[in-house]
Amino acid sequence: METIADVIYTGPWWRNKGLRTLNLFIIFVELASAINGYDSSVLNGLQILPEFKKHFHSPDGSTLGFMSASQNFGGLVMLPIAPYISDGFGRNRALTLGCFTIIGGVILQALSTTVGHFIASRCIVGVGISLIQNAAPVLIAELAYPTQRSTLTALYNTMWYFGSIISAWVCYATLRTLPGSVWEWRIPCLLQAAPALLVGIIVLFMPNSPRWLVAKGRDAEAIAILSKYHANGRERDPLVYFTYGQIREALAIEREINQTTSYLTLFKTPGNLRRMRIVFALGFFSQWSGNGLISYYLDPVLENVGVTVPSTRALINGGIQIWCFRSSSGGENRSTSTLFDVQRRNGRRICVLDIDDRVMDNKAESTGGERVDCVDADLLPGV
């Protein structure tokens, strides 16, 4: 009898018509992360532009803080609602709704006349970002071919820097070509709408998530999608029915569990408490690593260290984004393997420890100190 390994396609994906089409669709979903990267980092570039400072009377202190944090305010408002929209209307429609919300927000942002107007528009953008951030990675995981799922989902976060690179260099381009014009800062704002419009339209023509379709009782449609993209149209392919069976089994288990559990269950047992400590620690320390200072306040930091020429600060901003993209996808000088390879070969725990090791090296070198190893692999158990 055949095993699942016997029916998995192992050749190059670009030679498989179904996978070629599917991955082309998924590339556009990956752009949702680039949209987030552009929207989240564009303010860093805008702060460097003289016309932006002139238009908003050189914001600093708490005013600049509110302008930087306003997108997150909108995201926090939508955070508890976004999963219900994604589950109720489908990942594709949630993505489209988020993209068009972003488009509305960036148009208002580009037309802002006051700081309050700008902050309100950034909040609207944050609402849209929260929607696409909830729907896009789920859609990728539920559509991807089994052997490519981990790579494609890992690539999603890396694409954030692709968007931040574009925003940084667009700001540099307008600084050099449109000095003295209000469009120096308005064009980088308006260009946020371009990828959102592209993704918002294309996802309407993409296949729906098979898992979502089965959850809604549309099993025949789910099987048709799995057959078309995972098995080149062969409905009786063993992989199709193996995947379909896994989906049904997972949904049945979820329905059973949901009858007896709630969010409080996450804190009721020692094992769950330990898992939640890991979740909170990873979330907290990933934001407490010092990157926020550079991500949101690079312009005043560079001014304070004596970099006074705007074009030089814009170049540094663009260079930092390229370096971050390289580091997130290709490792550093001491290793030629990508983080995807580390994760695939050694698992997520080793990948986390590898990243932690690199961060400690970087902090020690940048501060002139010596690193102290304080992370034990036992603190990150496989869960």
Side-chain angles (χ1 to χ4, degrees):
M1 182 177 178
E2 287 184 319
T3 65
I4 189 63
D6 296 325
V7 296
I8 288 286
Y9 177 75
T10 57
W13 63 266
W14 56 87
R15 293 182 181 175
N16 184 305
K17 181 181 178 181
L19 292 184
R20 192 165 59 242
T21 306
L22 178 63
N23 287 343
L24 179 62
F25 279 132
I26 289 177
I27 286 172
F28 287 103
V29 184
E30 301 274 6
L31 286 178
S33 183
I35 294 172
N36 184 21
Y38 190 114
D39 293 344
S40 299
S41 60
V42 70
L43 190 59
N44 218 13
L46 293 178
Q47 293 176 51
I48 298 172
L49 305 179
E51 285 303 310
F52 178 82
K53 293 180 178 180
K54 178 181 176 182
H55 190 83
F56 293 105
H57 310 291
S58 298
D60 58 6
S62 61
T63 301
L64 183 59
F66 271 113
M67 294 174 78
S68 299
S70 53
Q71 178 181 310
N72 294 324
F73 293 154
L76 285 172
V77 170
M78 181 53 62
L79 183 64
I81 306 171
Y84 295 101
I85 295 176
S86 181
D87 287 341
F89 298 98
R91 325 305 188 203
N92 303 52
R93 291 177 181 174
L95 257 173
T96 297
L97 178 61
C99 286
F100 282 98
T101 302
I102 292 170
I103 292 171
V106 300
I107 291 174
L108 292 175
Q109 179 179 311
L111 299 177
S112 297
T113 55
T114 65
V115 170
H117 187 177
F118 187 87
I119 289 174
S121 65
R122 294 284 292 170
C123 287
I124 295 173
V125 171
V127 169
I129 290 292
S130 184
L131 278 169
I132 67 172
Q133 285 295 93
N134 181 271
V138 175
L139 181 60
I140 291 171
E142 293 175 350
L143 273 178
Y145 197 71
T147 57
Q148 299 175 353
R149 189 171 293 130
S150 62
T151 299
L152 290 172
T153 51
L155 180 62
Y156 179 80
N157 285 329
T158 300
M159 289 296 291
W160 192 97
Y161 287 109
F162 182 72
S164 70
I165 289 170
I166 295 175
S167 75
W169 289 101
V170 166
C171 288
Y172 176 76
T174 57
L175 173 65
R176 296 303 300 264
T177 59
L178 296 170
S181 170
V182 71
W183 293 103
E184 182 183 76
W185 68 271
R186 284 184 172 170
I187 285 178
C189 291
L190 286 173
L191 284 180
Q192 296 176 75
L197 179 63
L198 179 66
V199 174
I201 292 175
I202 286 179
V203 295
L204 292 176
F205 300 94
M206 282 182 57
N208 278 305
S209 158
R211 191 180 191 280
W212 181 79
L213 289 171
V214 174
K216 296 299 179 182
R218 296 159 62 178
D219 295 47
E221 293 179 58
I223 292 173
I225 288 172
L226 290 171
S227 301
K228 180 177 181 180
Y229 295 103
H230 287 197
N232 280 324
R234 299 187 299 273
E235 287 195 5
R236 296 187 179 276
D237 190 284
L239 178 62
V240 171
Y241 280 93
F242 177 83
T243 306
Y244 172 67
Q246 279 191 319
I247 292 172
R248 287 189 59 87
E249 182 180 359
L251 289 171
I253 293 172
E254 283 184 14
R255 282 192 291 267
E256 181 181 346
I257 291 175
N258 287 339
Q259 294 175 359
T260 58
T261 61
S262 67
Y263 284 111
L264 293 176
T265 308
L266 296 172
F267 306 94
K268 286 184 176 179
T269 66
N272 283 349
L273 281 172
R274 191 174 188 183
R275 291 181 177 92
M276 293 309 296
R277 284 200 301 270
I278 294 170
V279 169
F280 284 127
L282 287 174
F284 178 80
F285 287 109
S286 66
Q287 299 299 316
W288 198 253
S289 59
N291 59 307
L293 187 65
I294 301 301
S295 298
Y296 297 105
Y297 304 106
L298 178 63
D299 182 59
V301 168
L302 292 177
E303 280 194 285
N304 287 336
V305 298
V307 184
T308 57
V309 180
S311 60
T312 303
R313 297 201 298 271
L315 280 172
I316 292 173
N317 182 34
I320 287 174
Q321 306 311 321
I322 293 174
W323 175 257
C324 289
F325 180 76
R326 178 185 179 277
S327 297
S328 66
S329 59
E332 298 179 6
N333 292 334
R334 65 178 185 169
S335 172
T336 57
S337 63
T338 67
L339 295 182
F340 307 140
D341 293 332
V342 174
Q343 176 177 300
R344 184 167 55 248
R345 290 196 307 264
N346 304 312
R348 293 173 177 81
R349 187 197 310 189
I350 299 301
C351 188
V352 169
L353 292 174
D354 179 71
I355 294 170
D356 175 80
D357 189 58
R358 298 175 191 217
V359 169
M360 287 194 292
D361 276 347
N362 178 267
K363 296 299 182 185
E365 291 171 5
S366 62
T367 59
E370 296 181 359
R371 55 172 280 182
V372 177
D373 292 314
C374 57
V375 177
D376 188 339
D378 291 337
L379 297 179
L380 290 172
V383 293

